[in-house]
Amino acid sequence: MNWVRSSLGWKLLISYLVVIMVGIVTLTLAAESVIPTAFNRHMAGMQMMMGGHTGMQTMADDLFTNFLAAFTEALLWASGLATLSAVIVSIFVTRRVVTPVRYMMRASRHIADGHYDERVPETNADELGQLARSFNQMATALEQTESMRRELIGNVAHELRTPLTNIKGYMEGLIDGVLPPEPETYQLVYNEADRLQRLVSDLQELSRVEAGAFDLNLTKMSVDALIEQTAARLRPQFEEKEVKLQIKVSTSLPSVKVDEDRIGQVLLNLVGNALQYTPRGGLVTISTKPQEHEVYVLIQDSGIGISSEHLPHLFDRFYRVDKSRSRAGGGSGIGLTIARHLVKAHGGQIWATSEGLGGGSTFGFSLPTD
Ligand code: ADP
């Protein structure tokens, strides 16, 4: 009986046969109880009309027997035909129902084996078609997650390789006596280890924000205060690099409901980048702009600028416009990705615009007013 339990086709056929059986039994029982009474009533009426003829009873019995035989034969034919149509219909329905289910079974096994490009045909418009569509959407999402995972592992390996190779090179130089055992050499090793440490903590932070595994401690506050805090923290670096920092806040700005530390982190990243990519003598301006239900914070710099083809990718993980330059500056290309997640968690948007190479850049984000 296991084959019945494991096959939808057999289950369908058996259910049709049960319906046919119930029909036949009901019809037979109904006929047995109704036909003799109706027949006798009819014969009695005829006898009265014909004036009580003597051979009438024998004729009635004979007629009844023949009628019963004809009825039974008709019932048998009907049952046979019904069973045949049950088989045909169940084969047809099974094909329509079971085939897409089988496709999905096969595809899900393939996906489980790591073939994420597997898809099923979406032929029907009914529930099975919708199921196939949902299945394909799920497969696409899995494929994207898998490719992101692979890309992430590749990127992390790549990012780790460079400082590790450098450290190994310096150590080999020291062992072979090519590099002098002096504080400058140790400083080089220290810088690489420092870069590794920053990368690891950036990665930790990235995995936390990507998984949404952080709580927002929202408080009502003015954006100006946040900007002032960031400016105070970075002013010494601006002075050291001789880049001017200008703050232009609009008056009567509504307060926002934000996590002070998190938005502070976003500002620190954007203003820090503006400083990093602006040459000596340049200018960085932080300004605010009230919008409907929002406040815009804009960080504009007169720095190296970004050409248009890079703009859409700036917030992607590990994306760096000039890989060698920003790596030398210690950038891992994760800061803007973290910033985007944090701004989104507050219900805002983040964007970047630039006049192109040499034209400076403007990074902006919005925060909903409370
Ligand atoms: P990084 O740590 O490398 O700075 P980010 O995610 O903060 O990483 O930035 C990604 C890339 O965007 C940087 O490597 C840089 O190429 C570019 N970028 C960010 N801010 C600016 C800016 N103000 N001017 C020019 N390029 C920028």
PDB file of all heavy atoms in Angstrom, residues 10-40:
ATOM      1  N   TRP A  10      -2.248   7.878  -7.880  1.00  0.00           N
ATOM      2  CA  TRP A  10      -3.051   6.754  -7.381  1.00  0.00           C
ATOM      3  C   TRP A  10      -4.115   7.252  -6.402  1.00  0.00           C
ATOM      4  O   TRP A  10      -5.246   6.772  -6.415  1.00  0.00           O
ATOM      5  CB  TRP A  10      -2.156   5.721  -6.694  1.00  0.00           C
ATOM      6  CG  TRP A  10      -1.508   4.799  -7.682  1.00  0.00           C
ATOM      7  CD1 TRP A  10      -0.198   4.769  -8.028  1.00  0.00           C
ATOM      8  CD2 TRP A  10      -2.164   3.792  -8.459  1.00  0.00           C
ATOM      9  NE1 TRP A  10       0.020   3.825  -8.980  1.00  0.00           N
ATOM     10  CE2 TRP A  10      -1.178   3.194  -9.266  1.00  0.00           C
ATOM     11  CE3 TRP A  10      -3.481   3.340  -8.566  1.00  0.00           C
ATOM     12  CZ2 TRP A  10      -1.455   2.166 -10.158  1.00  0.00           C
ATOM     13  CZ3 TRP A  10      -3.759   2.309  -9.456  1.00  0.00           C
ATOM     14  CH2 TRP A  10      -2.764   1.744 -10.241  1.00  0.00           C
ATOM     15  N   LYS A  11      -3.737   8.207  -5.576  1.00  0.00           N
ATOM     16  CA  LYS A  11      -4.705   8.739  -4.598  1.00  0.00           C
ATOM     17  C   LYS A  11      -5.891   9.364  -5.320  1.00  0.00           C
ATOM     18  O   LYS A  11      -7.046   9.162  -4.934  1.00  0.00           O
ATOM     19  CB  LYS A  11      -4.036   9.797  -3.717  1.00  0.00           C
ATOM     20  CG  LYS A  11      -3.244   9.190  -2.597  1.00  0.00           C
ATOM     21  CD  LYS A  11      -2.706  10.267  -1.703  1.00  0.00           C
ATOM     22  CE  LYS A  11      -1.721   9.661  -0.723  1.00  0.00           C
ATOM     23  NZ  LYS A  11      -0.855  10.632  -0.131  1.00  0.00           N
ATOM     24  N   LEU A  12      -5.595  10.110  -6.397  1.00  0.00           N
ATOM     25  CA  LEU A  12      -6.670  10.749  -7.172  1.00  0.00           C
ATOM     26  C   LEU A  12      -7.583   9.695  -7.787  1.00  0.00           C
ATOM     27  O   LEU A  12      -8.815   9.773  -7.682  1.00  0.00           O
ATOM     28  CB  LEU A  12      -6.060  11.580  -8.304  1.00  0.00           C
ATOM     29  CG  LEU A  12      -5.736  13.026  -7.988  1.00  0.00           C
ATOM     30  CD1 LEU A  12      -5.026  13.662  -9.176  1.00  0.00           C
ATOM     31  CD2 LEU A  12      -7.021  13.798  -7.712  1.00  0.00           C
ATOM     32  N   LEU A  13      -6.966   8.648  -8.413  1.00  0.00           N
ATOM     33  CA  LEU A  13      -7.761   7.597  -9.057  1.00  0.00           C
ATOM     34  C   LEU A  13      -8.649   6.904  -8.033  1.00  0.00           C
ATOM     35  O   LEU A  13      -9.855   6.699  -8.266  1.00  0.00           O
ATOM     36  CB  LEU A  13      -6.818   6.589  -9.733  1.00  0.00           C
ATOM     37  CG  LEU A  13      -7.521   5.414 -10.409  1.00  0.00           C
ATOM     38  CD1 LEU A  13      -8.442   5.904 -11.526  1.00  0.00           C
ATOM     39  CD2 LEU A  13      -6.525   4.422 -10.987  1.00  0.00           C
ATOM     40  N   ILE A  14      -8.062   6.561  -6.879  1.00  0.00           N
ATOM     41  CA  ILE A  14      -8.849   5.856  -5.858  1.00  0.00           C
ATOM     42  C   ILE A  14      -9.989   6.740  -5.360  1.00  0.00           C
ATOM     43  O   ILE A  14     -11.114   6.275  -5.176  1.00  0.00           O
ATOM     44  CB  ILE A  14      -7.930   5.383  -4.706  1.00  0.00           C
ATOM     45  CG1 ILE A  14      -7.079   4.223  -5.237  1.00  0.00           C
ATOM     46  CG2 ILE A  14      -8.733   4.940  -3.492  1.00  0.00           C
ATOM     47  CD1 ILE A  14      -6.006   3.738  -4.332  1.00  0.00           C
ATOM     48  N   SER A  15      -9.744   8.032  -5.228  1.00  0.00           N
ATOM     49  CA  SER A  15     -10.826   8.897  -4.754  1.00  0.00           C
ATOM     50  C   SER A  15     -11.950   8.964  -5.781  1.00  0.00           C
ATOM     51  O   SER A  15     -13.130   8.946  -5.429  1.00  0.00           O
ATOM     52  CB  SER A  15     -10.303  10.291  -4.419  1.00  0.00           C
ATOM     53  OG  SER A  15      -9.823  10.899  -5.583  1.00  0.00           O
ATOM     54  N   TYR A  16     -11.602   8.994  -7.085  1.00  0.00           N
ATOM     55  CA  TYR A  16     -12.651   8.973  -8.122  1.00  0.00           C
ATOM     56  C   TYR A  16     -13.451   7.672  -8.043  1.00  0.00           C
ATOM     57  O   TYR A  16     -14.677   7.662  -8.131  1.00  0.00           O
ATOM     58  CB  TYR A  16     -12.038   9.073  -9.519  1.00  0.00           C
ATOM     59  CG  TYR A  16     -11.484  10.436  -9.852  1.00  0.00           C
ATOM     60  CD1 TYR A  16     -10.425  10.577 -10.750  1.00  0.00           C
ATOM     61  CD2 TYR A  16     -12.000  11.595  -9.276  1.00  0.00           C
ATOM     62  CE1 TYR A  16      -9.912  11.815 -11.065  1.00  0.00           C
ATOM     63  CE2 TYR A  16     -11.487  12.832  -9.589  1.00  0.00           C
ATOM     64  CZ  TYR A  16     -10.443  12.939 -10.476  1.00  0.00           C
ATOM     65  OH  TYR A  16      -9.930  14.171 -10.783  1.00  0.00           O
ATOM     66  N   LEU A  17     -12.729   6.535  -7.893  1.00  0.00           N
ATOM     67  CA  LEU A  17     -13.401   5.221  -7.853  1.00  0.00           C
ATOM     68  C   LEU A  17     -14.335   5.136  -6.648  1.00  0.00           C
ATOM     69  O   LEU A  17     -15.431   4.577  -6.741  1.00  0.00           O
ATOM     70  CB  LEU A  17     -12.371   4.088  -7.820  1.00  0.00           C
ATOM     71  CG  LEU A  17     -11.563   3.945  -9.123  1.00  0.00           C
ATOM     72  CD1 LEU A  17     -10.546   2.813  -8.998  1.00  0.00           C
ATOM     73  CD2 LEU A  17     -12.461   3.686 -10.322  1.00  0.00           C
ATOM     74  N   VAL A  18     -13.909   5.708  -5.518  1.00  0.00           N
ATOM     75  CA  VAL A  18     -14.773   5.692  -4.323  1.00  0.00           C
ATOM     76  C   VAL A  18     -16.060   6.458  -4.610  1.00  0.00           C
ATOM     77  O   VAL A  18     -17.170   5.998  -4.297  1.00  0.00           O
ATOM     78  CB  VAL A  18     -14.019   6.279  -3.106  1.00  0.00           C
ATOM     79  CG1 VAL A  18     -14.969   6.548  -1.957  1.00  0.00           C
ATOM     80  CG2 VAL A  18     -12.919   5.330  -2.658  1.00  0.00           C
ATOM     81  N   VAL A  19     -15.924   7.615  -5.281  1.00  0.00           N
ATOM     82  CA  VAL A  19     -17.115   8.413  -5.613  1.00  0.00           C
ATOM     83  C   VAL A  19     -18.036   7.605  -6.523  1.00  0.00           C
ATOM     84  O   VAL A  19     -19.263   7.556  -6.338  1.00  0.00           O
ATOM     85  CB  VAL A  19     -16.707   9.754  -6.276  1.00  0.00           C
ATOM     86  CG1 VAL A  19     -17.922  10.503  -6.799  1.00  0.00           C
ATOM     87  CG2 VAL A  19     -15.958  10.624  -5.289  1.00  0.00           C
ATOM     88  N   ILE A  20     -17.459   6.919  -7.519  1.00  0.00           N
ATOM     89  CA  ILE A  20     -18.277   6.109  -8.454  1.00  0.00           C
ATOM     90  C   ILE A  20     -18.990   4.991  -7.700  1.00  0.00           C
ATOM     91  O   ILE A  20     -20.197   4.752  -7.873  1.00  0.00           O
ATOM     92  CB  ILE A  20     -17.385   5.533  -9.582  1.00  0.00           C
ATOM     93  CG1 ILE A  20     -16.901   6.686 -10.469  1.00  0.00           C
ATOM     94  CG2 ILE A  20     -18.137   4.498 -10.406  1.00  0.00           C
ATOM     95  CD1 ILE A  20     -15.830   6.298 -11.458  1.00  0.00           C
ATOM     96  N   MET A  21     -18.250   4.302  -6.809  1.00  0.00           N
ATOM     97  CA  MET A  21     -18.827   3.192  -6.027  1.00  0.00           C
ATOM     98  C   MET A  21     -20.009   3.691  -5.187  1.00  0.00           C
ATOM     99  O   MET A  21     -21.070   3.072  -5.156  1.00  0.00           O
ATOM    100  CB  MET A  21     -17.774   2.606  -5.070  1.00  0.00           C
ATOM    101  CG  MET A  21     -16.715   1.771  -5.742  1.00  0.00           C
ATOM    102  SD  MET A  21     -17.345   0.198  -6.243  1.00  0.00           S
ATOM    103  CE  MET A  21     -17.555  -0.548  -4.653  1.00  0.00           C
ATOM    104  N   VAL A  22     -19.785   4.825  -4.522  1.00  0.00           N
ATOM    105  CA  VAL A  22     -20.855   5.381  -3.680  1.00  0.00           C
ATOM    106  C   VAL A  22     -22.077   5.694  -4.546  1.00  0.00           C
ATOM    107  O   VAL A  22     -23.221   5.394  -4.185  1.00  0.00           O
ATOM    108  CB  VAL A  22     -20.361   6.651  -2.930  1.00  0.00           C
ATOM    109  CG1 VAL A  22     -21.513   7.382  -2.250  1.00  0.00           C
ATOM    110  CG2 VAL A  22     -19.305   6.272  -1.918  1.00  0.00           C
ATOM    111  N   GLY A  23     -21.844   6.226  -5.746  1.00  0.00           N
ATOM    112  CA  GLY A  23     -22.943   6.540  -6.679  1.00  0.00           C
ATOM    113  C   GLY A  23     -23.711   5.296  -7.060  1.00  0.00           C
ATOM    114  O   GLY A  23     -24.960   5.269  -7.031  1.00  0.00           O
ATOM    115  N   ILE A  24     -22.977   4.230  -7.406  1.00  0.00           N
ATOM    116  CA  ILE A  24     -23.628   2.987  -7.858  1.00  0.00           C
ATOM    117  C   ILE A  24     -24.452   2.371  -6.719  1.00  0.00           C
ATOM    118  O   ILE A  24     -25.616   1.993  -6.898  1.00  0.00           O
ATOM    119  CB  ILE A  24     -22.565   1.973  -8.366  1.00  0.00           C
ATOM    120  CG1 ILE A  24     -21.944   2.505  -9.664  1.00  0.00           C
ATOM    121  CG2 ILE A  24     -23.188   0.603  -8.580  1.00  0.00           C
ATOM    122  CD1 ILE A  24     -20.738   1.731 -10.130  1.00  0.00           C
ATOM    123  N   VAL A  25     -23.829   2.301  -5.522  1.00  0.00           N
ATOM    124  CA  VAL A  25     -24.531   1.695  -4.378  1.00  0.00           C
ATOM    125  C   VAL A  25     -25.791   2.492  -4.055  1.00  0.00           C
ATOM    126  O   VAL A  25     -26.885   1.927  -3.870  1.00  0.00           O
ATOM    127  CB  VAL A  25     -23.581   1.607  -3.153  1.00  0.00           C
ATOM    128  CG1 VAL A  25     -24.342   1.214  -1.897  1.00  0.00           C
ATOM    129  CG2 VAL A  25     -22.469   0.608  -3.420  1.00  0.00           C
ATOM    130  N   THR A  26     -25.655   3.829  -4.051  1.00  0.00           N
ATOM    131  CA  THR A  26     -26.826   4.675  -3.750  1.00  0.00           C
ATOM    132  C   THR A  26     -27.921   4.453  -4.777  1.00  0.00           C
ATOM    133  O   THR A  26     -29.109   4.297  -4.437  1.00  0.00           O
ATOM    134  CB  THR A  26     -26.419   6.176  -3.751  1.00  0.00           C
ATOM    135  OG1 THR A  26     -25.187   6.303  -3.105  1.00  0.00           O
ATOM    136  CG2 THR A  26     -27.465   7.034  -3.102  1.00  0.00           C
ATOM    137  N   LEU A  27     -27.502   4.416  -6.051  1.00  0.00           N
ATOM    138  CA  LEU A  27     -28.488   4.238  -7.126  1.00  0.00           C
ATOM    139  C   LEU A  27     -29.199   2.892  -6.995  1.00  0.00           C
ATOM    140  O   LEU A  27     -30.426   2.788  -7.131  1.00  0.00           O
ATOM    141  CB  LEU A  27     -27.760   4.347  -8.473  1.00  0.00           C
ATOM    142  CG  LEU A  27     -28.640   4.534  -9.704  1.00  0.00           C
ATOM    143  CD1 LEU A  27     -29.440   5.825  -9.593  1.00  0.00           C
ATOM    144  CD2 LEU A  27     -27.781   4.576 -10.972  1.00  0.00           C
ATOM    145  N   THR A  28     -28.408   1.818  -6.687  1.00  0.00           N
ATOM    146  CA  THR A  28     -29.005   0.475  -6.561  1.00  0.00           C
ATOM    147  C   THR A  28     -29.987   0.430  -5.387  1.00  0.00           C
ATOM    148  O   THR A  28     -31.119  -0.053  -5.520  1.00  0.00           O
ATOM    149  CB  THR A  28     -27.891  -0.584  -6.329  1.00  0.00           C
ATOM    150  OG1 THR A  28     -26.856  -0.342  -7.273  1.00  0.00           O
ATOM    151  CG2 THR A  28     -28.405  -1.994  -6.465  1.00  0.00           C
ATOM    152  N   LEU A  29     -29.549   0.976  -4.238  1.00  0.00           N
ATOM    153  CA  LEU A  29     -30.442   0.957  -3.058  1.00  0.00           C
ATOM    154  C   LEU A  29     -31.728   1.749  -3.319  1.00  0.00           C
ATOM    155  O   LEU A  29     -32.834   1.293  -2.996  1.00  0.00           O
ATOM    156  CB  LEU A  29     -29.728   1.541  -1.840  1.00  0.00           C
ATOM    157  CG  LEU A  29     -28.614   0.659  -1.249  1.00  0.00           C
ATOM    158  CD1 LEU A  29     -27.915   1.390  -0.110  1.00  0.00           C
ATOM    159  CD2 LEU A  29     -29.188  -0.668  -0.745  1.00  0.00           C
ATOM    160  N   ALA A  30     -31.551   2.914  -3.968  1.00  0.00           N
ATOM    161  CA  ALA A  30     -32.716   3.753  -4.252  1.00  0.00           C
ATOM    162  C   ALA A  30     -33.646   3.027  -5.216  1.00  0.00           C
ATOM    163  O   ALA A  30     -34.881   3.022  -5.035  1.00  0.00           O
ATOM    164  CB  ALA A  30     -32.265   5.084  -4.842  1.00  0.00           C
ATOM    165  N   ALA A  31     -33.044   2.375  -6.242  1.00  0.00           N
ATOM    166  CA  ALA A  31     -33.861   1.679  -7.235  1.00  0.00           C
ATOM    167  C   ALA A  31     -34.625   0.532  -6.580  1.00  0.00           C
ATOM    168  O   ALA A  31     -35.821   0.318  -6.839  1.00  0.00           O
ATOM    169  CB  ALA A  31     -32.952   1.157  -8.348  1.00  0.00           C
ATOM    170  N   GLU A  32     -33.951  -0.220  -5.688  1.00  0.00           N
ATOM    171  CA  GLU A  32     -34.584  -1.373  -5.030  1.00  0.00           C
ATOM    172  C   GLU A  32     -35.767  -0.939  -4.177  1.00  0.00           C
ATOM    173  O   GLU A  32     -36.773  -1.645  -4.070  1.00  0.00           O
ATOM    174  CB  GLU A  32     -33.573  -2.101  -4.156  1.00  0.00           C
ATOM    175  CG  GLU A  32     -32.952  -3.274  -4.887  1.00  0.00           C
ATOM    176  CD  GLU A  32     -31.911  -3.991  -4.053  1.00  0.00           C
ATOM    177  OE1 GLU A  32     -31.891  -3.787  -2.821  1.00  0.00           O
ATOM    178  OE2 GLU A  32     -31.130  -4.746  -4.651  1.00  0.00           O
ATOM    179  N   SER A  33     -35.651   0.225  -3.574  1.00  0.00           N
ATOM    180  CA  SER A  33     -36.759   0.635  -2.701  1.00  0.00           C
ATOM    181  C   SER A  33     -37.878   1.336  -3.471  1.00  0.00           C
ATOM    182  O   SER A  33     -39.039   1.260  -3.093  1.00  0.00           O
ATOM    183  CB  SER A  33     -36.239   1.531  -1.576  1.00  0.00           C
ATOM    184  OG  SER A  33     -35.831   2.748  -2.130  1.00  0.00           O
ATOM    185  N   VAL A  34     -37.562   1.973  -4.575  1.00  0.00           N
ATOM    186  CA  VAL A  34     -38.585   2.775  -5.272  1.00  0.00           C
ATOM    187  C   VAL A  34     -39.265   2.006  -6.403  1.00  0.00           C
ATOM    188  O   VAL A  34     -40.501   2.022  -6.556  1.00  0.00           O
ATOM    189  CB  VAL A  34     -37.953   4.087  -5.808  1.00  0.00           C
ATOM    190  CG1 VAL A  34     -38.932   4.875  -6.652  1.00  0.00           C
ATOM    191  CG2 VAL A  34     -37.442   4.930  -4.668  1.00  0.00           C
ATOM    192  N   ILE A  35     -38.448   1.250  -7.201  1.00  0.00           N
ATOM    193  CA  ILE A  35     -38.997   0.660  -8.431  1.00  0.00           C
ATOM    194  C   ILE A  35     -40.166  -0.309  -8.176  1.00  0.00           C
ATOM    195  O   ILE A  35     -41.231  -0.174  -8.810  1.00  0.00           O
ATOM    196  CB  ILE A  35     -37.875  -0.005  -9.275  1.00  0.00           C
ATOM    197  CG1 ILE A  35     -36.946   1.101  -9.820  1.00  0.00           C
ATOM    198  CG2 ILE A  35     -38.453  -0.818 -10.434  1.00  0.00           C
ATOM    199  CD1 ILE A  35     -35.748   0.586 -10.572  1.00  0.00           C
ATOM    200  N   PRO A  36     -40.049  -1.322  -7.267  1.00  0.00           N
ATOM    201  CA  PRO A  36     -41.178  -2.276  -7.121  1.00  0.00           C
ATOM    202  C   PRO A  36     -42.487  -1.560  -6.767  1.00  0.00           C
ATOM    203  O   PRO A  36     -43.529  -1.838  -7.375  1.00  0.00           O
ATOM    204  CB  PRO A  36     -40.729  -3.180  -5.979  1.00  0.00           C
ATOM    205  CG  PRO A  36     -39.257  -3.055  -5.926  1.00  0.00           C
ATOM    206  CD  PRO A  36     -38.955  -1.694  -6.382  1.00  0.00           C
ATOM    207  N   THR A  37     -42.465  -0.621  -5.851  1.00  0.00           N
ATOM    208  CA  THR A  37     -43.707   0.082  -5.461  1.00  0.00           C
ATOM    209  C   THR A  37     -44.284   0.829  -6.653  1.00  0.00           C
ATOM    210  O   THR A  37     -45.492   0.736  -6.953  1.00  0.00           O
ATOM    211  CB  THR A  37     -43.397   1.101  -4.340  1.00  0.00           C
ATOM    212  OG1 THR A  37     -42.285   0.647  -3.585  1.00  0.00           O
ATOM    213  CG2 THR A  37     -44.563   1.368  -3.464  1.00  0.00           C
ATOM    214  N   ALA A  38     -43.418   1.570  -7.349  1.00  0.00           N
ATOM    215  CA  ALA A  38     -43.904   2.353  -8.499  1.00  0.00           C
ATOM    216  C   ALA A  38     -44.451   1.437  -9.578  1.00  0.00           C
ATOM    217  O   ALA A  38     -45.510   1.695 -10.183  1.00  0.00           O
ATOM    218  CB  ALA A  38     -42.756   3.189  -9.054  1.00  0.00           C
ATOM    219  N   PHE A  39     -43.741   0.297  -9.795  1.00  0.00           N
ATOM    220  CA  PHE A  39     -44.164  -0.647 -10.832  1.00  0.00           C
ATOM    221  C   PHE A  39     -45.534  -1.250 -10.489  1.00  0.00           C
ATOM    222  O   PHE A  39     -46.443  -1.287 -11.337  1.00  0.00           O
ATOM    223  CB  PHE A  39     -43.093  -1.752 -10.936  1.00  0.00           C
ATOM    224  CG  PHE A  39     -43.110  -2.450 -12.267  1.00  0.00           C
ATOM    225  CD1 PHE A  39     -42.426  -1.930 -13.355  1.00  0.00           C
ATOM    226  CD2 PHE A  39     -43.829  -3.616 -12.436  1.00  0.00           C
ATOM    227  CE1 PHE A  39     -42.460  -2.564 -14.574  1.00  0.00           C
ATOM    228  CE2 PHE A  39     -43.869  -4.250 -13.642  1.00  0.00           C
ATOM    229  CZ  PHE A  39     -43.172  -3.745 -14.734  1.00  0.00           C
ATOM    230  N   ASN A  40     -45.657  -1.681  -9.224  1.00  0.00           N
ATOM    231  CA  ASN A  40     -46.931  -2.292  -8.797  1.00  0.00           C
ATOM    232  C   ASN A  40     -48.092  -1.299  -8.907  1.00  0.00           C
ATOM    233  O   ASN A  40     -49.180  -1.654  -9.356  1.00  0.00           O
ATOM    234  CB  ASN A  40     -46.834  -2.781  -7.345  1.00  0.00           C
ATOM    235  CG  ASN A  40     -46.023  -4.071  -7.284  1.00  0.00           C
ATOM    236  OD1 ASN A  40     -45.822  -4.744  -8.310  1.00  0.00           O
ATOM    237  ND2 ASN A  40     -45.504  -4.408  -6.097  1.00  0.00           N
TER     238      ASN A  40
END
